Amino acid sequence: MRLSSLYCIQLLAATISAELVALPYGIRLKTDAQKPLMDPVGPVVPPSHQPADPERPPPPQGGVLISDVMGRDRSINIFAGFTRDIASISSRLDDSTKNSTVLAPRNSAVEKLPRKPWEDPKDYETLGTNAYEGGDGQDRAHRNLRRFVEAHVVPASPWAEGEKIKTLLDGDREIWWEMKDGVKVIQPDNIEVDSVASRVGNGELWIVKGVRNYA
């Protein structure tokens, strides 16, 4: 018998012997023929999502409304409080069938105003320093505050760049926004948009650095 044939017989016997010893202990020997051609799990694929871009607005939250997010940012809590005081605005921001873009001035912008948002110089000229005293005065102040809030709510969302539109304020002029050096700017008042704070089921909440001149 050739030496190579003898070697093959010895190798086969050793393999069979190893299997007989291994099987009782639950060990199963694998040969190259038993290996799958590919891992059934497949190759590892990196996650498809990318890190959030801080310059992009947050993704829309379908089940959330503007009324749900107005009070989240303390930098606009003065204006947020105004929206809750005006029933028509509060109702709209809580309505999933009416889209809006809210232009919420920062607290610092409201505080820098030469007068309170519910004050009108014409009222003082006509009625004097007691223009907002008593029941009639409170009604007058409420009407002025409603005008202030309405001037900062656009009855549309999404609101495209360059699209001219009027706010909820009756008789208001058209406004639009454009990009300047990578920043949204509301025209014709030239007010910078600090951020798009939220995108929700019925619109968007924009935080702005100024107050509209709507008088």
Side-chain angles (χ1 to χ4, degrees), residues 116-197:
K116 300 294 189 295
W118 57 85
E119 295 179 331
D120 187 336
K122 294 179 181 178
D123 292 336
Y124 286 123
E125 292 174 5
T126 305
L127 303 169
T129 57
N130 296 325
Y132 303 110
E133 297 293 332
D136 290 344
Q138 291 180 6
D139 290 343
R140 195 174 295 112
H142 189 269
R143 286 195 299 269
N144 292 340
L145 184 61
R146 186 185 69 237
R147 286 173 49 82
F148 177 84
V149 176
E150 289 175 342
H152 291 84
V153 179
V154 176
S157 182
W159 181 22
E161 181 177 5
E163 179 184 357
K164 294 185 177 182
I165 194 169
K166 292 184 178 181
T167 66
L168 291 178
L169 177 61
D170 187 32
D172 194 14
R173 58 183 171 173
E174 290 183 329
I175 64 173
W176 67 96
W177 68 272
E178 60 188 15
M179 294 297 294
K180 282 188 175 182
D181 299 323
V183 177
K184 282 186 172 74
V185 180
I186 299 169
Q187 300 295 4
D189 299 308
N190 204 40
I191 299 174
E192 287 190 11
V193 177
D194 191 24
S195 67
V196 178

Side-chain angles (χ1 to χ4, degrees), residues 11-51:
L11 180 60
L12 180 60
T15 301
I16 295 172
S17 176
E19 288 181 349
L20 292 175
V21 172
L23 288 175
Y25 293 94
I27 303 173
R28 187 173 293 276
L29 299 178
K30 290 185 178 180
T31 63
D32 290 341
Q34 292 174 314
K35 288 185 179 180
L37 295 178
M38 292 185 64
D39 188 340
V41 177
V44 177
V45 180
S48 59
H49 65 274
Q50 297 179 350

